[in-house]
Amino acid sequence: MIENYTADFYVKAAYDLDAKALKKLGIALVLVDLDNTLIAWNQPEGTPELRAWLGELRAADIQICVVSNNHYKRVKTAVAPFGVDFVNDALKPFTWGIKKALKRYSVSTDKVLLVGDQRMTDIRAGKRAGIRTVLVKPLLVSDHWQTQFNRWRERRVTRKIEATQGKTIYKDKIE
Ligand SMILES: [Mg+2]
């Protein structure tokens, strides 16, 4: 059961996934969660790191697509300043949104990486879809939309995983 929530990689932030390392892993498409992974609610315009990262991926010909459980209007507004493609209402932990993105880009699953800040939704969905996953630290530890219940579930599964695998170490880069 815990393997369903165990990511392939752990890095501190999405921006730590440098293009060179992604190329080395054979990644052609990065699917990225929106809230607390790409942007924080208190910084909707994003950070310089985010903009630099998106530029780096584009220059390396790595596609990027936001896959969010949020609704159309919210996601569209959020990604507008960055010109990033998106799938809304993704229904993570189910694979609906991921499958939609895979179909749109016609990329085989071994060339796709999913990046998210939650084991229960992002990592679970990536596992179900058979793609590699990266867990990042949430940009904000507490935020206004995530429920107490979700946080509790997330902590509970993290405790279970860490009991067998040891403490989660978030690295500075993907390797
Ligand atoms: Mg998130």
Side-chain angles (χ1 to χ4, degrees):
M1 174 264 185
I2 60 168
E3 55 272 15
N4 292 333
Y5 306 98
T6 303
D8 296 287
F9 307 98
Y10 298 85
V11 297
K12 285 176 185 151
Y15 334 126
D16 293 326
L17 302 167
D18 71 282
K20 225 173 158 182
L22 292 173
K23 282 271 180 195
K24 217 171 148 189
L25 289 169
I27 300 302
L29 171 65
V30 176
L31 304 179
V32 62
D33 171 52
L34 179 66
D35 293 292
N36 258 339
T37 299
L38 204 61
I39 53 169
W41 65 268
N42 66 346
Q43 209 163 15
E45 72 287 354
T47 58
E49 290 97 327
L50 168 61
R51 290 169 183 280
W53 182 59
L54 294 174
E56 193 193 321
L57 259 57
R58 284 188 187 120
D61 247 339
I62 298 171
Q63 313 254 35
I64 179 157
C65 181
V66 164
V67 175
S68 172
N69 279 357
N70 243 307
H71 300 304
Y72 176 79
K73 240 181 139 175
R74 155 82 180 113
V75 185
K76 188 174 166 53
T77 307
V79 302
F82 313 107
V84 174
D85 190 20
F86 65 93
V87 172
N88 53 281
D89 296 293
L91 300 179
K92 294 174 286 182
F94 303 104
T95 57
W96 188 85
I98 293 173
K99 286 200 170 141
K100 191 173 175 183
L102 293 180
K103 209 169 161 193
R104 189 183 293 172
Y105 286 88
S106 315
V107 174
S108 59
T109 49
D110 60 323
K111 295 187 174 68
V112 183
L113 195 62
L114 179 121
V115 189
D117 68 298
Q118 289 191 77
R119 293 179 190 272
M120 307 299 301
T121 51
D122 302 313
I123 303 308
R124 183 71 188 98
K127 290 275 164 176
R128 274 204 175 107
I131 59 177
R132 283 177 283 178
T133 55
V134 184
L135 187 68
V136 296
K137 285 187 165 183
L139 290 175
L140 286 174
V141 172
S142 68
D143 56 61
H144 69 337
W145 57 267
Q146 206 178 17
T147 64
Q148 288 285 345
F149 180 63
N150 272 342
R151 278 199 287 264
W152 173 77
R153 291 181 71 211
E154 187 77 15
R155 277 199 304 270
R156 202 173 66 138
V157 75
T158 297
R159 268 202 305 274
K160 271 190 193 162
I161 288 170
E162 292 189 344
T164 52
Q165 299 176 0
K167 187 143 180 63
T168 308
I169 312 255
Y170 293 87
K171 297 188 173 164
D172 293 320
K173 58 179 182 174
I174 196 165
E175 52 195 347

